[in-house]
Amino acid sequence: MVYKNITCFEQRLSTKPYIFYLIYMMYADVVFPFKLSPLTYKVPEDAPDNLKGRIVKAPLMGKGHYGLIVSARNESLLEKKKNIKMIQEIHHHFASESTLSFMKWLSDYYLSPMGIALKSIFFEEAVNICVKHDVSCIESQRGTKKVANFQHSYKSFLYHAPSISHEYYLLDEVLNRTYPDIHGAVILVPEVSQIENLHDMLKNIFGERLCVIHSKLTKNKRLETIKQIITGQSDIILGTRSAILVPISNISFIAVTSEHSTSYKGEEGLRYNARDAAVMRGFIEKSHVFLSSVCPSVESIYNVKTGKYSPTAPSHIAPQKVENRPKIKIIDSRLKGQKTMTISRDVIKQARDIASKGGRFLFIINTRGYSLIRCEDCGHIAQCNKCNIPLVFYKNRNIVKCHYCGFEQTIHESCEECKGFNIKPFGAGIEKIKEEIEDVLKIKTITLGKDYMPWVIDKDIDAASFAIGTSYTAKKLRDEKFDAIALFNTDWLFTRPDFRAYERTFQEITMLTNILKPDGSLYLQTWYPKKRILRFIKNYDFKTFYEYELLQRKILDYPPFSRIILFNIFMKKNAERSLHDIDEIINNIDKQGLEILGPVDIASPLKSYKYCLQIFMKSKDRKILHSQAERLLIELKKIKGAKINADVDPLKI
């Protein structure tokens, strides 16, 4: 729309006054669901006044594409803006002011173009609903006011639950009794398999207001769910990581169960952490955020200590005593007579006893396949030539496979190093454990995992007393309760080259106790029985563990006492040519208050890119870290043929 300003000004040329009318044009910044920043367009004369947050169609790359107006303004035509194209169509509102603020935060904090953030909040589904099917987007039609308890009140709580059942029970209490009139809520679970645990409970409270969203939904089902949300039919959302991004406004309550889970961290596209995004969305929406876990993250415990989160421990739920929890027993793998067997004698004895009583036993080893392959003459272990990591031997198929890049080949008859023929299996994987158990106990077992059987495994588990899988497999189990669990390569957990190794070990083992009966036992087989972390775990000594871990992090200046950003630079051609350019870019970065390590050559996880260089950035000051990271990212994108990924607050280093 073109406007004429009534105010005029006088300019004298020679002795005659000249009157000029300032002519203004309305401009709008439009973001598209692509890897782009907002672009500026002219606004048509007949455009409505409230443009911000509306879906529009505008020319882009020779075609008309749908985007979202994130800002609009009047500007004088005297500024002579050139080549500014006109918006073609203007449609319904899609994003509220709070949704736009949240989207901008996602883009800024995770160093991602705003277009990727827009795509992540289900914009393409909204276009299908609002434009192609002409459905009006009603922002949180249900309940335009919040409950008095939530009115303009942001607060985050952390509940350290004694068990997952207590975690869900307290959530039920909060939703069903304490705040019966909640309008607009998002409840997150880390795994799709855990949705069923909460679905019936929430359905009983909220009825048809409840909808479910996760990555396993079909395209049509996801479209139907988003339609329910943006038209106001559903305002209670249960789902996995992406549920925190749903286009719902006027949120009064957000819950993040098992808040420590690494499943909340995205590994591609918008690499956000759903837990942290939940806290920020709660802050923007001025709503309450309820975090819970049986073994909270170190960062969340620190946030309680510093007052950012409030601890919650309901008086009517008594803390579960250690003696009421499954017993954790440390098995020393160094004992004599153990060399010929992967499974310890103590575990075999307990397995026989449980088998005789018709009980259930779960064996866990965090290595797929049968074993590794080693030359007994020179000690060489077969490795992937591309990734430089050991290849896993699958005995049934007589192949070795790289679980990093997917490479596989038939096993060589001779050693690649010394050309000798004394090649034997080394270590143990799922298939070897299965072989030993069935040979010693004379029983049939089932193997859990995507390499062996589908994830829909309930009937198979119910029919079998003895099962074998990985820790990841155990996370997929829902209501199964075993009499005993044996974890064989415990040492692998706490010896991983990561500053979070102890934390991850405590969390993973604690989660295993939740699929044990209260009088069950968890056996941890280890070569290092006196390790401090194992003592913490055995005694369920969370308090001392968190004190110890925070002290170590503070000494080493790791999160939560600093922030980290990782840059991965992928290239199809030899990376050596770009090393000089990258070093020069890093040298030009202001390193005051900032630590930069790299670039270092790592195995590329992308099949289409053969090489990968990694840069590590760390700082106590978040603003310094982000400002310099943005500058580095701009320069790295100038490297020809390179693909750049920035991972803010990475969980894997």
Side-chain angles (χ1 to χ4, degrees), residues 371-531:
S371 67
L372 305 180
I373 292 294
R374 183 176 69 177
C375 175
E376 295 295 305
D377 294 333
C378 70
H380 173 71
I381 296 176
Q383 292 186 327
C384 175
N385 293 329
K386 178 183 177 182
C387 305
N388 295 321
I389 62 171
L391 294 169
V392 176
F393 174 45
Y394 284 80
K395 186 177 181 180
N396 294 339
R397 298 162 59 194
N398 196 35
I399 65 164
V400 285
K401 181 178 180 179
C402 175
H403 285 150
Y404 204 82
C405 69
F407 167 79
E408 62 178 60
Q409 66 179 16
T410 305
I411 189 170
H412 292 303
E413 295 182 358
S414 61
C415 174
E416 294 177 333
E417 290 291 313
C418 69
K419 308 304 178 184
F421 292 91
N422 195 12
I423 296 176
K424 294 183 179 180
F426 170 69
I430 287 177
E431 292 178 2
K432 187 175 182 181
I433 293 294
K434 179 182 176 71
E435 185 179 87
E436 285 190 10
I437 292 169
E438 294 186 347
D439 182 56
V440 173
L441 300 178
K442 310 299 181 185
I443 59 172
K444 195 69 177 174
T445 65
I446 63 168
T447 308
L448 311 179
K450 56 187 177 182
D451 285 349
Y452 305 98
M453 60 188 297
W455 283 115
V456 184
I457 53 179
D458 294 351
K459 291 183 179 179
D460 299 281
I461 291 177
D462 291 339
S465 296
F466 285 69
I468 305 164
T470 63
S471 293
Y472 182 77
T473 304
K475 290 198 297 183
K476 298 290 182 182
L477 305 178
R478 292 196 303 268
D479 301 321
E480 288 74 23
K481 293 293 182 182
F482 294 90
D483 295 278
I485 297 175
L487 179 61
F488 292 109
N489 51 355
T490 308
D491 304 340
W492 175 82
L493 294 176
F494 58 76
T495 56
R496 287 174 286 188
D498 193 314
F499 72 90
R500 287 192 175 91
Y502 273 23
E503 178 185 6
R504 291 283 175 262
T505 301
F506 209 146
Q507 289 165 346
E508 290 183 30
I509 292 177
T510 302
M511 293 302 289
L512 288 178
T513 64
N514 282 279
I515 55 174
L516 277 169
K517 295 177 181 178
D519 59 347
S521 297
L522 174 59
Y523 299 93
L524 306 179
Q525 197 165 303
T526 176
W527 289 89
Y528 307 100
K530 295 184 179 181
K531 272 287 186 180

Side-chain angles (χ1 to χ4, degrees), residues 5 144 165 252 261 352 406 582:
N5 195 327
T144 56
S165 60
S252 61
S261 176
R352 282 202 177 101
I582 296 172

Side-chain angles (χ1 to χ4, degrees), residues 234-252:
S234 298
D235 68 329
I236 309 297
I237 293 92
L238 169 65
T240 51
R241 181 175 66 228
S242 62
I244 195 57
L245 306 179
V246 294
I248 178 175
S249 61
N250 196 21
I251 298 174
S252 61

